[in-house]
Coordinates of all heavy atoms in Angstrom, one line a residue:
Q42 N 73.9 -3.2 -5.0 CA 72.5 -3.0 -5.4 C 72.2 -1.6 -5.7 O 71.6 -1.2 -6.7 CB 71.6 -3.5 -4.3 CG 71.6 -5.0 -4.1 CD 70.9 -5.4 -2.8 OE1 70.8 -4.7 -1.8 NE2 70.4 -6.7 -2.7
V43 N 72.6 -0.7 -4.8 CA 72.4 0.7 -5.0 C 73.1 1.3 -6.1 O 72.6 2.1 -6.9 CB 72.7 1.5 -3.7 CG1 72.4 3.0 -3.9 CG2 71.9 0.9 -2.5
L44 N 74.4 0.9 -6.3 CA 75.2 1.4 -7.4 C 74.6 1.0 -8.7 O 74.5 1.8 -9.7 CB 76.6 1.0 -7.3 CG 77.5 1.6 -6.2 CD1 78.8 0.9 -6.0 CD2 77.7 3.1 -6.5
G45 N 74.1 -0.2 -8.8 CA 73.5 -0.7 -10.0 C 72.2 0.1 -10.4 O 72.0 0.5 -11.5
T46 N 71.4 0.4 -9.3 CA 70.2 1.2 -9.5 C 70.6 2.6 -10.0 O 70.0 3.1 -10.9 CB 69.4 1.3 -8.2 OG1 68.9 -0.1 -7.9 CG2 68.2 2.2 -8.4
G47 N 71.6 3.2 -9.3 CA 72.0 4.5 -9.7 C 72.5 4.6 -11.1 O 72.2 5.6 -11.8
R48 N 73.3 3.7 -11.5 CA 73.9 3.7 -12.9 C 72.8 3.7 -13.9 O 72.9 4.4 -15.0 CB 74.8 2.5 -13.1 CG 76.2 2.7 -12.5 CD 77.2 1.8 -13.1 NE 76.8 0.4 -12.7 CZ 77.3 -0.3 -11.7 NH1 78.1 0.4 -10.8 NH2 76.9 -1.5 -11.4
R49 N 71.7 2.9 -13.7 CA 70.7 2.8 -14.7 C 69.6 3.9 -14.6 O 69.0 4.2 -15.6 CB 70.0 1.4 -14.5 CG 70.9 0.2 -14.9 CD 70.4 -1.1 -14.4 NE 71.2 -2.2 -14.9 CZ 72.3 -2.6 -14.2 NH1 72.7 -1.9 -13.1 NH2 73.0 -3.6 -14.7
L50 N 69.3 4.4 -13.4 CA 68.1 5.2 -13.2 C 68.4 6.6 -12.8 O 67.5 7.5 -12.9 CB 67.2 4.5 -12.2 CG 66.7 3.1 -12.6 CD1 65.7 2.7 -11.5 CD2 66.0 3.1 -13.9
V51 N 69.6 6.9 -12.3 CA 69.9 8.3 -11.8 C 70.9 9.0 -12.6 O 72.0 8.4 -12.8 CB 70.3 8.2 -10.3 CG1 70.6 9.6 -9.7 CG2 69.3 7.4 -9.4
G52 N 70.6 10.2 -13.0 CA 71.6 11.0 -13.7 C 70.9 11.8 -14.8 O 69.7 11.7 -15.1
P53 N 71.7 12.7 -15.5 CA 71.1 13.5 -16.5 C 70.4 12.7 -17.6 O 71.0 11.8 -18.1 CB 72.4 14.2 -17.1 CG 73.3 14.2 -15.9 CD 73.1 12.9 -15.2
G54 N 69.2 13.1 -17.9 CA 68.4 12.4 -18.9 C 67.9 11.0 -18.5 O 67.2 10.4 -19.3
K55 N 68.1 10.6 -17.3 CA 67.6 9.3 -16.8 C 66.3 9.5 -16.1 O 65.8 10.6 -15.9 CB 68.7 8.6 -16.0 CG 69.9 8.2 -16.8 CD 70.9 7.5 -16.0 CE 72.2 7.2 -16.8 NZ 73.2 6.4 -16.1
L56 N 65.8 8.4 -15.6 CA 64.5 8.4 -14.9 C 64.5 9.5 -13.8 O 63.6 10.3 -13.7 CB 64.1 7.1 -14.3 CG 62.8 7.0 -13.6 CD1 61.6 7.2 -14.5 CD2 62.6 5.6 -12.9
I57 N 65.5 9.4 -12.9 CA 65.6 10.4 -11.8 C 66.7 11.3 -12.2 O 67.9 11.0 -12.1 CB 66.0 9.7 -10.5 CG1 64.9 8.6 -10.1 CG2 66.1 10.7 -9.4 CD1 65.2 7.8 -8.9
D58 N 66.3 12.4 -12.8 CA 67.3 13.4 -13.3 C 67.5 14.5 -12.2 O 66.5 15.2 -11.8 CB 66.7 14.1 -14.5 CG 67.8 15.0 -15.2 OD1 68.7 15.5 -14.6 OD2 67.6 15.1 -16.5
P59 N 68.7 14.7 -11.6 CA 68.9 15.7 -10.6 C 68.4 17.1 -10.9 O 67.9 17.8 -10.1 CB 70.4 15.7 -10.4 CG 70.8 14.3 -10.8 CD 69.9 13.9 -11.9
V60 N 68.4 17.4 -12.2 CA 67.9 18.7 -12.6 C 66.4 18.9 -12.4 O 65.9 20.0 -12.2 CB 68.3 19.0 -14.1 CG1 67.6 20.3 -14.6 CG2 69.8 19.0 -14.3

Side-chain angles (χ1 to χ4, degrees):
Q42 289 169 335
V43 177
L44 287 170
T46 296
R48 280 195 297 267
R49 292 168 176 82
L50 300 182
V51 180
K55 296 183 180 180
L56 180 68
I57 303 176
D58 189 334
V60 173

